[in-house]
Amino acid sequence: MIVGLENWTLARPEIFLAAATALLLIYGVVRGEIATAFVSVATSVALLVTAALLFLPYREGTAFSSLFIVDRLTATMKALVLVGSALAILMSRAYFEQAKAWRFEYPLVVALATLGMMLMISANDLMALYVGLELQSLALYVIAAFQRDSVRSTEAGVKYFVLGSVASGMLLFGSSLIYGFCGGTAFVQISGALADGRATEIGVIIGLVFVVAGLAFKVSAVPFHMWTPDVYEGAPTPVTALFAVAPKIAAMSLLVSVLMGPFKPLFAQWQQIIVVASVLSMALGAFAALRQQNIKRLMAYSSIGNVGYVLLGVASGTEKGIQSVVFYLAIYMVMTLGVFATILMMKRRNIMVEQVSDLAGLARSQPMMALGMLIFMFSLAGIPPLAGFWGKLYIFMAAVEAKLFVPAVLGVLASVVASYYYLRIVKVMYFDEPPGEAIDRPAFGVNRVVALVAAFLIAVFSLAPQPLSSIATAAAKGLFP
């Protein structure tokens, strides 16, 4: 079968990224370690160019026998993933150079993971979904254990690999059940079979439960969250920053596409699963982080809680719910990158520190760094008028409109509990006495720029929320023609 030119045109961003990664890999192999600096910058530029190609010119449609789909939602989510990955690469250089682990393979493996995320987001078939998911997962297993000399990093990689393999198996088992009962793996075939009356068959519902369980692992929703704290703590900090942003956004986009696309006829069934996962994630994220002393582990539980809020928007099953999901994920990306940029600047005698207690007295020694962290913590806690408040407000409004009153109330209560550990960090920075030497003054670099820009965007967001709101509205319209 000859594939038409229009198919290649729709997949142009993915083809460009794959070609750029292959060329940079060859360049890195030929030039050796001296190519590392160039390859890292070139990979980040390639990711940003790929993001531009999504919209210049913008086209919608399906390609490759409906295996691949492009619409406003997929384009928006891909843009978020690409920007997040590009910044994560740029933020990682200083850390890996200090750890003597800066090699040209790292940015290329991140680019391959990002390519997998893009294929996941545009998947319009269960097989295409699985191929994209595995390309992303295999690359992420490698970078979790990228610091080979570190026992913690190796352990994080092994844990992620073992538990990730179980999740992939669950997803594949669910897909095979759906294929058996619906007679196809394409989303169009599945939605057609469900419309013809297959929705009541127990095999389809069991298959859907397994698929949702596999995807819940990727977004680290309770009860499939067990890998998150250990992997976040053990992986190198720049890798943790990537894990907290790009794969989460990609998997959440995929979850929305699967549930609101072919499985929309089963809304009553999957809404129950998503509501339970949402409430449990919000609760665990709020209570488990209260006693954490390691800031990376604390951010792991914070990310689980944030996934709970996003799932509440998904459970709404309405256009407003999906708008709130896109809106919240964009704000979450900026907040999280800002926090990790600050964590990457936390050094004492040029040695990385990760404990909450290490931030004591930061307001006196580094007032601007402390102010940035204060803005991020207040925003994550949902304190107005910062961006995080508007993100949570949109989610809760969508849940209330969908008559999910109890989960919405529980979400607000979880948010109140979670604000304790965010405010504890502010209290440590501004009121505790430093335990000895102060945190080093950060050198002017990528991390400082990312932290400054993220803090500025979050602080002034209330003055101009309209652009992001319009983007979220346009993205959600694709699922509700």
Side-chain angles (χ1 to χ4, degrees), residues 391-447:
K392 286 183 179 176
L393 182 67
Y394 269 47
I395 291 280
F396 293 139
M397 281 169 59
V400 168
E401 282 189 22
K403 296 187 167 48
L404 297 173
F405 301 118
V406 174
V409 170
L410 291 172
V412 172
L413 293 174
S415 188
V416 171
V417 174
S419 64
Y420 167 80
Y421 59 80
Y422 294 128
L423 297 179
R424 178 166 70 100
I425 291 175
V426 175
K427 173 252 180 192
V428 167
M429 290 191 303
Y430 279 85
F431 302 110
D432 284 14
E433 288 297 321
E437 288 186 52
I439 295 277
D440 297 347
R441 180 177 175 78
F444 189 80
V446 174
N447 291 323

Side-chain angles (χ1 to χ4, degrees), residues 37 86 125 127 174 196 217 267 269 345 385 416 425:
D125 184 290
M127 289 300 97
D196 290 343
F217 175 90
F267 175 70
Q269 283 83 355
M345 290 188 286
V416 171
I425 291 175

Side-chain angles (χ1 to χ4, degrees), residues 359-380:
L359 288 166
L362 186 67
R364 270 163 277 176
S365 59
Q366 304 294 340
M368 290 305 292
M369 193 170 161
L371 178 64
M373 199 64 158
L374 177 142
I375 290 170
F376 300 135
M377 291 300 115
F378 275 17
S379 185
L380 283 164

Side-chain angles (χ1 to χ4, degrees), residues 250-270:
M252 195 57 77
S253 172
L254 182 58
L255 191 64
V256 168
S257 299
V258 169
L259 295 179
M260 297 303 296
F263 293 104
K264 200 163 185 186
L266 292 176
F267 175 70
Q269 283 83 355
W270 63 251

